[in-house]
Amino acid sequence: MADILIKNGRVICPDQGLDEVADLLITDGRIATIGAVREPAHEVIDAAGKIVCPGLIDMHVHLREPGDCDEETIATGSAAAIAGGFTTIVAMPNTDPPIDNPAAAEYVINKGRQANLANVLPAGAITLGREGTELTEMGLISLAGAAAFTDDGSWVTSAGLMAKALKYAKLTGLPIMSHCEDPSLAGNGVMNAGRAAAELGLAGTPVSAEETAIARDIILAHETGGRLHVTHVSTAGGVELIRRAKERGDNITADATPHHLTLTEEFARGYNTNARVNPPLRTKADVDALRAGIKDGTIDAIASDHAPHAPQEKACEFDKAAPGVVGLETTLSMLAAKLVGTDFLTWPELIAALTIRPARALGIAKGTLRPGADADIVVIDPAAEWIIDSARFVSRGRNCPFDGMSVVGRAEVVIAGGAIKDV
Ligand code: DOR
């Protein structure tokens, strides 16, 4: 494999507390040296004025394969990941059929390898068919190469089953990613319960649907010692519950999405179906709490919840629309614009939430530029100004709430496993 030298970039590696202008040498698909490098390299990338950091990790994406390849495939989703600067993605199991057995997990891994773009790690379902009644063969799914377990899209409503799942997951060393939303409280809600929903005449999901679910799962994780990861936190109360659990020493992690960090329920006015997501967009106070959670580490990671849907599933009445928005190609730039551009986060803080923090939450040896690590790297142009145009996405999904927005910052070169990929 050819040596690559990335010269004169601002090398940011939050895992090592590194933020300095330096050269970075890649040999044999691994990080060799950071510093002033004199060795001749086969390929030289001039990164002056650019950021050089670990390839981004998105621990929550929907790739729709098997089952809905008109919406996305493992190959098109991987290409979208690379276009957005992500070199590792975790594929949710709510496919058709679901990833609820070892062969299905192997299928996702093999398809990811064939695509040869990003590292695609499957999350296995917690329960058979994601039906919430019987546990999957978690040990075998883990041996097949799964990175986590989740019934994403649904919460495991039986506390007894969730407690068992946490105990089994502990034996595998993998986290349980919980979609914390109690359906008995969420009911047929399609947006946040509150004034906007009342004025729009739409059914609302109260914050209690999320917060009671998070509270229960924290209690179960505490008692069982299982690894709980709360995915797509959307409420201020949820952030507070996780903060308190962490303060008492619980081994809990969490993520929030770019849309929950930047949009409120007000976005649903006009019945824009790209405001239809699960959990729903909340209020400004919730957005502020999520941002504070990222800043102080209560929320470990930012994950896109990339959820492509066919056009007809969004070109309909708001309450009939499928929940979810795409995010792989906009996450970095939206957050750069809205969180770094406003001086709320520094570049190293944002990069930490997209690299080493999700890597630690997943327990994978990624998200770092330590010598010897896999050469998964992204070169970011922090000054690149562009307008988001969903028609130009690599993803098959066009359901983007940020379409038409001006953003700054873009992945320019993406290297996965030491190989330069087409961005
Ligand atoms: O908005 C969402 N879309 N939330 C989920 O939990 C599932 C996802 C999907 O699969 O479309």
PDB file of all heavy atoms in Angstrom, residues 65-66 74 91 93 95 97-115 120-125 137-149:
ATOM      1  N   GLU A  65     -30.745  -1.514   3.624  1.00  0.00           N
ATOM      2  CA  GLU A  65     -30.504  -2.787   2.937  1.00  0.00           C
ATOM      3  C   GLU A  65     -30.248  -3.857   3.988  1.00  0.00           C
ATOM      4  O   GLU A  65     -29.410  -3.621   4.858  1.00  0.00           O
ATOM      5  CB  GLU A  65     -29.289  -2.661   1.997  1.00  0.00           C
ATOM      6  CG  GLU A  65     -29.043  -3.919   1.193  1.00  0.00           C
ATOM      7  CD  GLU A  65     -27.868  -3.799   0.218  1.00  0.00           C
ATOM      8  OE1 GLU A  65     -27.241  -2.727   0.152  1.00  0.00           O
ATOM      9  OE2 GLU A  65     -27.578  -4.798  -0.440  1.00  0.00           O
ATOM     10  N   PRO A  66     -30.939  -4.968   3.952  1.00  0.00           N
ATOM     11  CA  PRO A  66     -31.868  -5.418   2.916  1.00  0.00           C
ATOM     12  C   PRO A  66     -33.242  -4.757   3.040  1.00  0.00           C
ATOM     13  O   PRO A  66     -33.610  -4.272   4.100  1.00  0.00           O
ATOM     14  CB  PRO A  66     -31.962  -6.928   3.190  1.00  0.00           C
ATOM     15  CG  PRO A  66     -31.737  -7.052   4.671  1.00  0.00           C
ATOM     16  CD  PRO A  66     -30.738  -5.976   5.007  1.00  0.00           C
ATOM     17  N   ILE A  74     -26.270  -0.343   1.127  1.00  0.00           N
ATOM     18  CA  ILE A  74     -25.048  -0.253   1.937  1.00  0.00           C
ATOM     19  C   ILE A  74     -23.968   0.473   1.137  1.00  0.00           C
ATOM     20  O   ILE A  74     -23.214   1.286   1.688  1.00  0.00           O
ATOM     21  CB  ILE A  74     -24.637  -1.667   2.397  1.00  0.00           C
ATOM     22  CG1 ILE A  74     -25.679  -2.162   3.413  1.00  0.00           C
ATOM     23  CG2 ILE A  74     -23.231  -1.676   2.993  1.00  0.00           C
ATOM     24  CD1 ILE A  74     -25.609  -3.631   3.759  1.00  0.00           C
ATOM     25  N   ALA A  91     -24.664   0.651  11.207  1.00  0.00           N
ATOM     26  CA  ALA A  91     -25.931   0.492  10.480  1.00  0.00           C
ATOM     27  C   ALA A  91     -26.999  -0.075  11.415  1.00  0.00           C
ATOM     28  O   ALA A  91     -26.815  -1.139  12.008  1.00  0.00           O
ATOM     29  CB  ALA A  91     -25.725  -0.426   9.286  1.00  0.00           C
ATOM     30  N   PRO A  93     -30.479  -1.872  12.687  1.00  0.00           N
ATOM     31  CA  PRO A  93     -31.030  -3.153  12.227  1.00  0.00           C
ATOM     32  C   PRO A  93     -32.490  -3.106  11.799  1.00  0.00           C
ATOM     33  O   PRO A  93     -33.066  -4.160  11.531  1.00  0.00           O
ATOM     34  CB  PRO A  93     -30.870  -4.027  13.474  1.00  0.00           C
ATOM     35  CG  PRO A  93     -31.009  -3.086  14.618  1.00  0.00           C
ATOM     36  CD  PRO A  93     -30.452  -1.763  14.155  1.00  0.00           C
ATOM     37  N   THR A  95     -34.112  -2.980   9.259  1.00  0.00           N
ATOM     38  CA  THR A  95     -34.237  -3.227   7.826  1.00  0.00           C
ATOM     39  C   THR A  95     -35.351  -4.255   7.629  1.00  0.00           C
ATOM     40  O   THR A  95     -36.011  -4.670   8.588  1.00  0.00           O
ATOM     41  CB  THR A  95     -32.895  -3.747   7.285  1.00  0.00           C
ATOM     42  OG1 THR A  95     -32.447  -4.802   8.145  1.00  0.00           O
ATOM     43  CG2 THR A  95     -31.853  -2.651   7.247  1.00  0.00           C
ATOM     44  N   PRO A  97     -35.725  -7.952   5.873  1.00  0.00           N
ATOM     45  CA  PRO A  97     -35.933  -8.285   7.281  1.00  0.00           C
ATOM     46  C   PRO A  97     -34.908  -7.590   8.197  1.00  0.00           C
ATOM     47  O   PRO A  97     -33.871  -7.143   7.714  1.00  0.00           O
ATOM     48  CB  PRO A  97     -35.718  -9.806   7.290  1.00  0.00           C
ATOM     49  CG  PRO A  97     -34.761 -10.072   6.171  1.00  0.00           C
ATOM     50  CD  PRO A  97     -35.102  -9.078   5.120  1.00  0.00           C
ATOM     51  N   PRO A  98     -35.185  -7.555   9.493  1.00  0.00           N
ATOM     52  CA  PRO A  98     -34.270  -6.906  10.428  1.00  0.00           C
ATOM     53  C   PRO A  98     -32.978  -7.703  10.628  1.00  0.00           C
ATOM     54  O   PRO A  98     -32.943  -8.907  10.373  1.00  0.00           O
ATOM     55  CB  PRO A  98     -35.057  -6.865  11.746  1.00  0.00           C
ATOM     56  CG  PRO A  98     -36.432  -7.325  11.440  1.00  0.00           C
ATOM     57  CD  PRO A  98     -36.388  -8.087  10.164  1.00  0.00           C
ATOM     58  N   ILE A  99     -31.955  -7.025  11.111  1.00  0.00           N
ATOM     59  CA  ILE A  99     -30.670  -7.682  11.411  1.00  0.00           C
ATOM     60  C   ILE A  99     -30.812  -8.298  12.807  1.00  0.00           C
ATOM     61  O   ILE A  99     -30.400  -7.705  13.818  1.00  0.00           O
ATOM     62  CB  ILE A  99     -29.512  -6.649  11.351  1.00  0.00           C
ATOM     63  CG1 ILE A  99     -29.561  -5.832  10.056  1.00  0.00           C
ATOM     64  CG2 ILE A  99     -28.156  -7.349  11.499  1.00  0.00           C
ATOM     65  CD1 ILE A  99     -29.546  -6.624   8.768  1.00  0.00           C
ATOM     66  N   ASP A 100     -31.426  -9.459  12.850  1.00  0.00           N
ATOM     67  CA  ASP A 100     -31.697 -10.070  14.158  1.00  0.00           C
ATOM     68  C   ASP A 100     -31.104 -11.472  14.276  1.00  0.00           C
ATOM     69  O   ASP A 100     -31.525 -12.252  15.128  1.00  0.00           O
ATOM     70  CB  ASP A 100     -33.212 -10.092  14.450  1.00  0.00           C
ATOM     71  CG  ASP A 100     -33.978 -10.991  13.495  1.00  0.00           C
ATOM     72  OD1 ASP A 100     -33.371 -11.548  12.562  1.00  0.00           O
ATOM     73  OD2 ASP A 100     -35.208 -11.118  13.688  1.00  0.00           O
ATOM     74  N   ASN A 101     -30.108 -11.771  13.413  1.00  0.00           N
ATOM     75  CA  ASN A 101     -29.424 -13.067  13.497  1.00  0.00           C
ATOM     76  C   ASN A 101     -28.003 -12.904  12.959  1.00  0.00           C
ATOM     77  O   ASN A 101     -27.716 -11.920  12.250  1.00  0.00           O
ATOM     78  CB  ASN A 101     -30.214 -14.138  12.728  1.00  0.00           C
ATOM     79  CG  ASN A 101     -30.332 -13.790  11.260  1.00  0.00           C
ATOM     80  OD1 ASN A 101     -29.380 -13.954  10.498  1.00  0.00           O
ATOM     81  ND2 ASN A 101     -31.489 -13.257  10.850  1.00  0.00           N
ATOM     82  N   PRO A 102     -27.105 -13.857  13.271  1.00  0.00           N
ATOM     83  CA  PRO A 102     -25.701 -13.688  12.878  1.00  0.00           C
ATOM     84  C   PRO A 102     -25.507 -13.590  11.365  1.00  0.00           C
ATOM     85  O   PRO A 102     -24.689 -12.799  10.892  1.00  0.00           O
ATOM     86  CB  PRO A 102     -25.011 -14.947  13.417  1.00  0.00           C
ATOM     87  CG  PRO A 102     -25.948 -15.564  14.374  1.00  0.00           C
ATOM     88  CD  PRO A 102     -27.325 -15.066  14.095  1.00  0.00           C
ATOM     89  N   ALA A 103     -26.269 -14.359  10.582  1.00  0.00           N
ATOM     90  CA  ALA A 103     -26.078 -14.327   9.125  1.00  0.00           C
ATOM     91  C   ALA A 103     -26.422 -12.944   8.573  1.00  0.00           C
ATOM     92  O   ALA A 103     -25.752 -12.445   7.658  1.00  0.00           O
ATOM     93  CB  ALA A 103     -26.947 -15.394   8.459  1.00  0.00           C
ATOM     94  N   ALA A 104     -27.443 -12.327   9.126  1.00  0.00           N
ATOM     95  CA  ALA A 104     -27.833 -10.988   8.658  1.00  0.00           C
ATOM     96  C   ALA A 104     -26.736  -9.974   8.990  1.00  0.00           C
ATOM     97  O   ALA A 104     -26.425  -9.094   8.174  1.00  0.00           O
ATOM     98  CB  ALA A 104     -29.158 -10.578   9.304  1.00  0.00           C
ATOM     99  N   ALA A 105     -26.127 -10.113  10.178  1.00  0.00           N
ATOM    100  CA  ALA A 105     -25.026  -9.200  10.544  1.00  0.00           C
ATOM    101  C   ALA A 105     -23.849  -9.403   9.589  1.00  0.00           C
ATOM    102  O   ALA A 105     -23.234  -8.434   9.120  1.00  0.00           O
ATOM    103  CB  ALA A 105     -24.607  -9.439  11.993  1.00  0.00           C
ATOM    104  N   GLU A 106     -23.560 -10.669   9.258  1.00  0.00           N
ATOM    105  CA  GLU A 106     -22.469 -10.961   8.314  1.00  0.00           C
ATOM    106  C   GLU A 106     -22.771 -10.376   6.933  1.00  0.00           C
ATOM    107  O   GLU A 106     -21.873  -9.888   6.247  1.00  0.00           O
ATOM    108  CB  GLU A 106     -22.268 -12.481   8.185  1.00  0.00           C
ATOM    109  CG  GLU A 106     -21.356 -13.022   9.260  1.00  0.00           C
ATOM    110  CD  GLU A 106     -21.471 -14.529   9.425  1.00  0.00           C
ATOM    111  OE1 GLU A 106     -21.925 -15.211   8.475  1.00  0.00           O
ATOM    112  OE2 GLU A 106     -21.115 -15.019  10.512  1.00  0.00           O
ATOM    113  N   TYR A 107     -24.026 -10.427   6.555  1.00  0.00           N
ATOM    114  CA  TYR A 107     -24.438  -9.870   5.254  1.00  0.00           C
ATOM    115  C   TYR A 107     -24.073  -8.379   5.182  1.00  0.00           C
ATOM    116  O   TYR A 107     -23.499  -7.912   4.202  1.00  0.00           O
ATOM    117  CB  TYR A 107     -25.951 -10.067   5.078  1.00  0.00           C
ATOM    118  CG  TYR A 107     -26.550  -9.388   3.879  1.00  0.00           C
ATOM    119  CD1 TYR A 107     -26.553 -10.012   2.630  1.00  0.00           C
ATOM    120  CD2 TYR A 107     -27.128  -8.122   3.985  1.00  0.00           C
ATOM    121  CE1 TYR A 107     -27.110  -9.383   1.527  1.00  0.00           C
ATOM    122  CE2 TYR A 107     -27.678  -7.492   2.886  1.00  0.00           C
ATOM    123  CZ  TYR A 107     -27.669  -8.127   1.658  1.00  0.00           C
ATOM    124  OH  TYR A 107     -28.215  -7.497   0.565  1.00  0.00           O
ATOM    125  N   VAL A 108     -24.406  -7.646   6.247  1.00  0.00           N
ATOM    126  CA  VAL A 108     -24.107  -6.202   6.259  1.00  0.00           C
ATOM    127  C   VAL A 108     -22.603  -5.974   6.194  1.00  0.00           C
ATOM    128  O   VAL A 108     -22.112  -5.122   5.428  1.00  0.00           O
ATOM    129  CB  VAL A 108     -24.709  -5.530   7.517  1.00  0.00           C
ATOM    130  CG1 VAL A 108     -24.293  -4.060   7.603  1.00  0.00           C
ATOM    131  CG2 VAL A 108     -26.229  -5.656   7.517  1.00  0.00           C
ATOM    132  N   ILE A 109     -21.857  -6.768   6.971  1.00  0.00           N
ATOM    133  CA  ILE A 109     -20.394  -6.605   6.968  1.00  0.00           C
ATOM    134  C   ILE A 109     -19.831  -6.888   5.573  1.00  0.00           C
ATOM    135  O   ILE A 109     -19.020  -6.125   5.048  1.00  0.00           O
ATOM    136  CB  ILE A 109     -19.757  -7.552   8.018  1.00  0.00           C
ATOM    137  CG1 ILE A 109     -20.130  -7.086   9.432  1.00  0.00           C
ATOM    138  CG2 ILE A 109     -18.234  -7.615   7.850  1.00  0.00           C
ATOM    139  CD1 ILE A 109     -19.806  -8.080  10.524  1.00  0.00           C
ATOM    140  N   ASN A 110     -20.303  -7.970   4.953  1.00  0.00           N
ATOM    141  CA  ASN A 110     -19.784  -8.327   3.625  1.00  0.00           C
ATOM    142  C   ASN A 110     -20.134  -7.284   2.580  1.00  0.00           C
ATOM    143  O   ASN A 110     -19.308  -6.928   1.740  1.00  0.00           O
ATOM    144  CB  ASN A 110     -20.316  -9.704   3.190  1.00  0.00           C
ATOM    145  CG  ASN A 110     -19.663 -10.807   4.006  1.00  0.00           C
ATOM    146  OD1 ASN A 110     -18.559 -10.630   4.532  1.00  0.00           O
ATOM    147  ND2 ASN A 110     -20.339 -11.937   4.134  1.00  0.00           N
ATOM    148  N   LYS A 111     -21.353  -6.770   2.633  1.00  0.00           N
ATOM    149  CA  LYS A 111     -21.754  -5.718   1.680  1.00  0.00           C
ATOM    150  C   LYS A 111     -20.901  -4.463   1.879  1.00  0.00           C
ATOM    151  O   LYS A 111     -20.537  -3.782   0.926  1.00  0.00           O
ATOM    152  CB  LYS A 111     -23.234  -5.374   1.865  1.00  0.00           C
ATOM    153  CG  LYS A 111     -24.169  -6.397   1.257  1.00  0.00           C
ATOM    154  CD  LYS A 111     -24.279  -6.145  -0.231  1.00  0.00           C
ATOM    155  CE  LYS A 111     -25.161  -7.169  -0.895  1.00  0.00           C
ATOM    156  NZ  LYS A 111     -25.372  -6.899  -2.316  1.00  0.00           N
ATOM    157  N   GLY A 112     -20.609  -4.169   3.140  1.00  0.00           N
ATOM    158  CA  GLY A 112     -19.761  -3.016   3.441  1.00  0.00           C
ATOM    159  C   GLY A 112     -18.365  -3.219   2.878  1.00  0.00           C
ATOM    160  O   GLY A 112     -17.765  -2.302   2.308  1.00  0.00           O
ATOM    161  N   ARG A 113     -17.853  -4.435   3.045  1.00  0.00           N
ATOM    162  CA  ARG A 113     -16.499  -4.726   2.519  1.00  0.00           C
ATOM    163  C   ARG A 113     -16.472  -4.644   1.003  1.00  0.00           C
ATOM    164  O   ARG A 113     -15.535  -4.125   0.414  1.00  0.00           O
ATOM    165  CB  ARG A 113     -16.059  -6.126   2.959  1.00  0.00           C
ATOM    166  CG  ARG A 113     -15.692  -6.137   4.421  1.00  0.00           C
ATOM    167  CD  ARG A 113     -14.815  -7.332   4.763  1.00  0.00           C
ATOM    168  NE  ARG A 113     -14.566  -7.325   6.193  1.00  0.00           N
ATOM    169  CZ  ARG A 113     -14.784  -8.344   7.000  1.00  0.00           C
ATOM    170  NH1 ARG A 113     -15.215  -9.491   6.521  1.00  0.00           N
ATOM    171  NH2 ARG A 113     -14.542  -8.229   8.283  1.00  0.00           N
ATOM    172  N   GLN A 114     -17.545  -5.154   0.375  1.00  0.00           N
ATOM    173  CA  GLN A 114     -17.601  -5.093  -1.096  1.00  0.00           C
ATOM    174  C   GLN A 114     -17.609  -3.640  -1.572  1.00  0.00           C
ATOM    175  O   GLN A 114     -16.970  -3.302  -2.557  1.00  0.00           O
ATOM    176  CB  GLN A 114     -18.875  -5.765  -1.606  1.00  0.00           C
ATOM    177  CG  GLN A 114     -18.761  -7.276  -1.736  1.00  0.00           C
ATOM    178  CD  GLN A 114     -20.133  -7.929  -1.919  1.00  0.00           C
ATOM    179  OE1 GLN A 114     -21.077  -7.302  -2.377  1.00  0.00           O
ATOM    180  NE2 GLN A 114     -20.230  -9.184  -1.540  1.00  0.00           N
ATOM    181  N   ALA A 115     -18.351  -2.801  -0.867  1.00  0.00           N
ATOM    182  CA  ALA A 115     -18.407  -1.382  -1.256  1.00  0.00           C
ATOM    183  C   ALA A 115     -17.025  -0.753  -1.117  1.00  0.00           C
ATOM    184  O   ALA A 115     -16.653   0.144  -1.870  1.00  0.00           O
ATOM    185  CB  ALA A 115     -19.437  -0.647  -0.408  1.00  0.00           C
ATOM    186  N   VAL A 120     -18.237  -0.413   7.680  1.00  0.00           N
ATOM    187  CA  VAL A 120     -19.662  -0.528   8.013  1.00  0.00           C
ATOM    188  C   VAL A 120     -19.812  -1.574   9.107  1.00  0.00           C
ATOM    189  O   VAL A 120     -19.502  -2.748   8.909  1.00  0.00           O
ATOM    190  CB  VAL A 120     -20.493  -0.933   6.778  1.00  0.00           C
ATOM    191  CG1 VAL A 120     -21.975  -1.031   7.150  1.00  0.00           C
ATOM    192  CG2 VAL A 120     -20.288   0.053   5.642  1.00  0.00           C
ATOM    193  N   LEU A 121     -20.271  -1.135  10.258  1.00  0.00           N
ATOM    194  CA  LEU A 121     -20.460  -2.047  11.395  1.00  0.00           C
ATOM    195  C   LEU A 121     -21.959  -2.217  11.629  1.00  0.00           C
ATOM    196  O   LEU A 121     -22.669  -1.227  11.809  1.00  0.00           O
ATOM    197  CB  LEU A 121     -19.818  -1.456  12.658  1.00  0.00           C
ATOM    198  CG  LEU A 121     -18.352  -1.053  12.542  1.00  0.00           C
ATOM    199  CD1 LEU A 121     -17.880  -0.384  13.832  1.00  0.00           C
ATOM    200  CD2 LEU A 121     -17.491  -2.280  12.249  1.00  0.00           C
ATOM    201  N   PRO A 122     -22.437  -3.446  11.656  1.00  0.00           N
ATOM    202  CA  PRO A 122     -23.866  -3.621  11.908  1.00  0.00           C
ATOM    203  C   PRO A 122     -24.195  -3.526  13.398  1.00  0.00           C
ATOM    204  O   PRO A 122     -23.396  -3.938  14.246  1.00  0.00           O
ATOM    205  CB  PRO A 122     -24.145  -5.043  11.403  1.00  0.00           C
ATOM    206  CG  PRO A 122     -22.830  -5.752  11.486  1.00  0.00           C
ATOM    207  CD  PRO A 122     -21.742  -4.717  11.400  1.00  0.00           C
ATOM    208  N   ALA A 123     -25.346  -2.976  13.697  1.00  0.00           N
ATOM    209  CA  ALA A 123     -25.918  -3.131  15.042  1.00  0.00           C
ATOM    210  C   ALA A 123     -26.949  -4.248  14.920  1.00  0.00           C
ATOM    211  O   ALA A 123     -27.741  -4.261  13.968  1.00  0.00           O
ATOM    212  CB  ALA A 123     -26.580  -1.840  15.493  1.00  0.00           C
ATOM    213  N   GLY A 124     -26.910  -5.186  15.848  1.00  0.00           N
ATOM    214  CA  GLY A 124     -27.883  -6.270  15.824  1.00  0.00           C
ATOM    215  C   GLY A 124     -29.114  -5.879  16.634  1.00  0.00           C
ATOM    216  O   GLY A 124     -29.036  -5.048  17.554  1.00  0.00           O
ATOM    217  N   ALA A 125     -30.239  -6.485  16.275  1.00  0.00           N
ATOM    218  CA  ALA A 125     -31.459  -6.209  17.044  1.00  0.00           C
ATOM    219  C   ALA A 125     -31.346  -6.828  18.442  1.00  0.00           C
ATOM    220  O   ALA A 125     -30.661  -7.837  18.639  1.00  0.00           O
ATOM    221  CB  ALA A 125     -32.667  -6.775  16.312  1.00  0.00           C
ATOM    222  N   GLU A 137     -30.108 -14.027  19.435  1.00  0.00           N
ATOM    223  CA  GLU A 137     -28.889 -14.761  19.840  1.00  0.00           C
ATOM    224  C   GLU A 137     -27.754 -13.737  19.934  1.00  0.00           C
ATOM    225  O   GLU A 137     -26.902 -13.631  19.041  1.00  0.00           O
ATOM    226  CB  GLU A 137     -28.548 -15.825  18.796  1.00  0.00           C
ATOM    227  CG  GLU A 137     -29.549 -16.946  18.704  1.00  0.00           C
ATOM    228  CD  GLU A 137     -29.281 -18.018  19.762  1.00  0.00           C
ATOM    229  OE1 GLU A 137     -28.452 -17.784  20.674  1.00  0.00           O
ATOM    230  OE2 GLU A 137     -29.900 -19.081  19.671  1.00  0.00           O
ATOM    231  N   MET A 138     -27.735 -13.003  21.041  1.00  0.00           N
ATOM    232  CA  MET A 138     -26.821 -11.864  21.119  1.00  0.00           C
ATOM    233  C   MET A 138     -25.355 -12.298  21.070  1.00  0.00           C
ATOM    234  O   MET A 138     -24.524 -11.626  20.447  1.00  0.00           O
ATOM    235  CB  MET A 138     -27.127 -11.049  22.378  1.00  0.00           C
ATOM    236  CG  MET A 138     -28.516 -10.427  22.317  1.00  0.00           C
ATOM    237  SD  MET A 138     -29.039  -9.673  23.874  1.00  0.00           S
ATOM    238  CE  MET A 138     -28.106  -8.195  23.857  1.00  0.00           C
ATOM    239  N   GLY A 139     -25.046 -13.404  21.702  1.00  0.00           N
ATOM    240  CA  GLY A 139     -23.658 -13.886  21.698  1.00  0.00           C
ATOM    241  C   GLY A 139     -23.189 -14.162  20.279  1.00  0.00           C
ATOM    242  O   GLY A 139     -22.093 -13.729  19.872  1.00  0.00           O
ATOM    243  N   LEU A 140     -24.004 -14.856  19.493  1.00  0.00           N
ATOM    244  CA  LEU A 140     -23.613 -15.214  18.127  1.00  0.00           C
ATOM    245  C   LEU A 140     -23.570 -13.984  17.219  1.00  0.00           C
ATOM    246  O   LEU A 140     -22.700 -13.863  16.358  1.00  0.00           O
ATOM    247  CB  LEU A 140     -24.587 -16.259  17.558  1.00  0.00           C
ATOM    248  CG  LEU A 140     -24.584 -17.615  18.293  1.00  0.00           C
ATOM    249  CD1 LEU A 140     -25.615 -18.566  17.691  1.00  0.00           C
ATOM    250  CD2 LEU A 140     -23.191 -18.240  18.251  1.00  0.00           C
ATOM    251  N   ILE A 141     -24.507 -13.063  17.442  1.00  0.00           N
ATOM    252  CA  ILE A 141     -24.508 -11.833  16.631  1.00  0.00           C
ATOM    253  C   ILE A 141     -23.245 -11.022  16.917  1.00  0.00           C
ATOM    254  O   ILE A 141     -22.621 -10.452  16.018  1.00  0.00           O
ATOM    255  CB  ILE A 141     -25.791 -11.008  16.897  1.00  0.00           C
ATOM    256  CG1 ILE A 141     -27.025 -11.779  16.401  1.00  0.00           C
ATOM    257  CG2 ILE A 141     -25.719  -9.642  16.221  1.00  0.00           C
ATOM    258  CD1 ILE A 141     -28.356 -11.139  16.731  1.00  0.00           C
ATOM    259  N   SER A 142     -22.860 -11.033  18.179  1.00  0.00           N
ATOM    260  CA  SER A 142     -21.629 -10.329  18.556  1.00  0.00           C
ATOM    261  C   SER A 142     -20.419 -10.992  17.891  1.00  0.00           C
ATOM    262  O   SER A 142     -19.556 -10.311  17.318  1.00  0.00           O
ATOM    263  CB  SER A 142     -21.515 -10.326  20.079  1.00  0.00           C
ATOM    264  OG  SER A 142     -20.202 -10.409  20.489  1.00  0.00           O
ATOM    265  N   LEU A 143     -20.371 -12.322  17.914  1.00  0.00           N
ATOM    266  CA  LEU A 143     -19.242 -13.025  17.285  1.00  0.00           C
ATOM    267  C   LEU A 143     -19.211 -12.782  15.776  1.00  0.00           C
ATOM    268  O   LEU A 143     -18.144 -12.774  15.160  1.00  0.00           O
ATOM    269  CB  LEU A 143     -19.333 -14.532  17.552  1.00  0.00           C
ATOM    270  CG  LEU A 143     -19.037 -14.964  18.997  1.00  0.00           C
ATOM    271  CD1 LEU A 143     -19.267 -16.458  19.173  1.00  0.00           C
ATOM    272  CD2 LEU A 143     -17.608 -14.587  19.390  1.00  0.00           C
ATOM    273  N   ALA A 144     -20.388 -12.557  15.192  1.00  0.00           N
ATOM    274  CA  ALA A 144     -20.445 -12.290  13.741  1.00  0.00           C
ATOM    275  C   ALA A 144     -19.870 -10.913  13.413  1.00  0.00           C
ATOM    276  O   ALA A 144     -19.600 -10.621  12.248  1.00  0.00           O
ATOM    277  CB  ALA A 144     -21.888 -12.394  13.252  1.00  0.00           C
ATOM    278  N   GLY A 145     -19.700 -10.052  14.428  1.00  0.00           N
ATOM    279  CA  GLY A 145     -19.062  -8.755  14.169  1.00  0.00           C
ATOM    280  C   GLY A 145     -19.927  -7.543  14.436  1.00  0.00           C
ATOM    281  O   GLY A 145     -19.579  -6.434  14.020  1.00  0.00           O
ATOM    282  N   ALA A 146     -21.042  -7.720  15.147  1.00  0.00           N
ATOM    283  CA  ALA A 146     -21.880  -6.556  15.455  1.00  0.00           C
ATOM    284  C   ALA A 146     -21.156  -5.617  16.422  1.00  0.00           C
ATOM    285  O   ALA A 146     -20.291  -6.043  17.196  1.00  0.00           O
ATOM    286  CB  ALA A 146     -23.206  -7.008  16.063  1.00  0.00           C
ATOM    287  N   ALA A 147     -21.516  -4.332  16.349  1.00  0.00           N
ATOM    288  CA  ALA A 147     -20.866  -3.325  17.182  1.00  0.00           C
ATOM    289  C   ALA A 147     -21.728  -2.916  18.369  1.00  0.00           C
ATOM    290  O   ALA A 147     -21.239  -2.290  19.311  1.00  0.00           O
ATOM    291  CB  ALA A 147     -20.548  -2.092  16.351  1.00  0.00           C
ATOM    292  N   ALA A 148     -23.022  -3.244  18.314  1.00  0.00           N
ATOM    293  CA  ALA A 148     -23.954  -2.818  19.364  1.00  0.00           C
ATOM    294  C   ALA A 148     -25.257  -3.573  19.152  1.00  0.00           C
ATOM    295  O   ALA A 148     -25.433  -4.264  18.138  1.00  0.00           O
ATOM    296  CB  ALA A 148     -24.201  -1.312  19.262  1.00  0.00           C
ATOM    297  N   PHE A 149     -26.143  -3.434  20.125  1.00  0.00           N
ATOM    298  CA  PHE A 149     -27.495  -3.994  19.982  1.00  0.00           C
ATOM    299  C   PHE A 149     -28.506  -2.871  20.157  1.00  0.00           C
ATOM    300  O   PHE A 149     -28.363  -2.029  21.044  1.00  0.00           O
ATOM    301  CB  PHE A 149     -27.754  -5.062  21.045  1.00  0.00           C
ATOM    302  CG  PHE A 149     -26.868  -6.260  20.893  1.00  0.00           C
ATOM    303  CD1 PHE A 149     -25.779  -6.435  21.722  1.00  0.00           C
ATOM    304  CD2 PHE A 149     -27.101  -7.200  19.904  1.00  0.00           C
ATOM    305  CE1 PHE A 149     -24.944  -7.525  21.570  1.00  0.00           C
ATOM    306  CE2 PHE A 149     -26.271  -8.297  19.738  1.00  0.00           C
ATOM    307  CZ  PHE A 149     -25.191  -8.459  20.577  1.00  0.00           C
TER     308      PHE A 149
END
